[in-house]
Amino acid sequence: MSKKKESEAEVAVDGQPITTGTSLCDTATAAIQNFAPINKIHQHLCAFHFYSDDMSRQVEAHHFCGHQNEEMRQCLIYDSPEKKSRLIGVEYIISENLYLTLPDEEKRLWHSHLYEVKSGLLFLPKVPSPIHRKDMETVCKTYGKVFHFWQVDKGHSLPLGIPQLMMAFTRDGQIYDHLQQSCAERMGIDYEEERKSREYMTGPEHGIHPLANGGGKGLHTLLREVPLNHHSPPPSATRASV
């Protein structure tokens, strides 16, 4: 299968093609409505994630991020940077200072970015080196929390199942060579060159927290059935008659 056909197969989604009527409606709403949250997106980060309970399931992840403030950015994650890409998850990125305020049980859900940055696996496509390195110096010290909703590695044509906690790589030898090579060819990145240029970068001031990255253990995301609370709403709740 050629690269073009392979790419097209990856973005196959169940459903009928968009009609002229829907396109006209989209054009009208785009001209009228405010998209302030989306307009805050200011950068594209490319990286890789694996399912927190199975490192053999690895996926390329394209993050489109915006800063909430100097210590937090939030990202929409797509399976590619192309127009027909699928929204597969979200990631929150926070500073070391914010991470250290989290309860211990919460800390396990977050991963460090030190190895991702220093290895070159996490990068800003097409951004000039001085700007690129400046942002990587910051990201190197942060932690991220990721959930994927669409298990594209299984070939699903719709987002099936429950959200899955994802993690990031922490040392050499974990990521599949073919996955890394494929991304390098398409995105025009030289990982070895990036690794050399980032040797001086440092991680969190207090080192990577021992509870980060699942505390070194796999974490399995489960959906558990519990009794539904049938209590009446509070008196102040608005009631509507139909």
Side-chain angles (χ1 to χ4, degrees), residues 50 55 112 114-116 119 121 168-175 195 216:
F50 66 86
M55 193 179 289
S112 60
L114 176 60
Y115 174 78
E116 279 192 289
S119 67
L121 288 179
F169 299 107
T170 56
R171 64 176 183 271
D172 289 345
Q174 292 180 329
I175 187 171
R195 182 189 287 258

Side-chain angles (χ1 to χ4, degrees), residues 104-167:
D104 283 353
E105 62 269 21
E106 174 68 21
K107 287 186 174 75
R108 300 178 67 208
L109 305 179
W110 297 72
H111 62 266
S112 60
H113 289 129
L114 176 60
Y115 174 78
E116 279 192 289
V117 172
K118 295 203 68 172
S119 67
L121 288 179
L122 193 157
F123 63 94
L124 297 166
K126 301 180 181 179
V127 173
S129 294
I131 300 173
H132 196 174
R133 287 195 296 271
K134 181 65 176 177
D135 195 55
M136 290 299 101
E137 289 170 5
T138 299
V139 177
C140 204
K141 305 175 188 299
T142 62
Y143 292 87
K145 181 180 182 180
V146 184
F147 278 94
H148 280 198
F149 313 120
W150 200 326
Q151 299 183 54
V152 292
D153 64 305
K154 286 188 171 182
H156 291 171
S157 56
L158 289 173
L160 307 179
I162 62 175
Q164 297 291 311
L165 179 67
M166 309 296 284
M167 288 292 170

Side-chain angles (χ1 to χ4, degrees), residues 28-40:
T29 54
I32 297 169
Q33 294 185 307
N34 184 340
F35 300 95
I38 303 300
N39 291 337
K40 285 185 65 176

Side-chain angles (χ1 to χ4, degrees), residues 172-190:
D172 289 345
Q174 292 180 329
I175 187 171
Y176 291 133
D177 290 339
H178 72 272
L179 190 65
Q180 187 174 350
Q181 184 60 35
S182 173
C183 182
E185 292 175 358
R186 285 180 285 102
M187 304 304 294
I189 183 78
D190 186 327

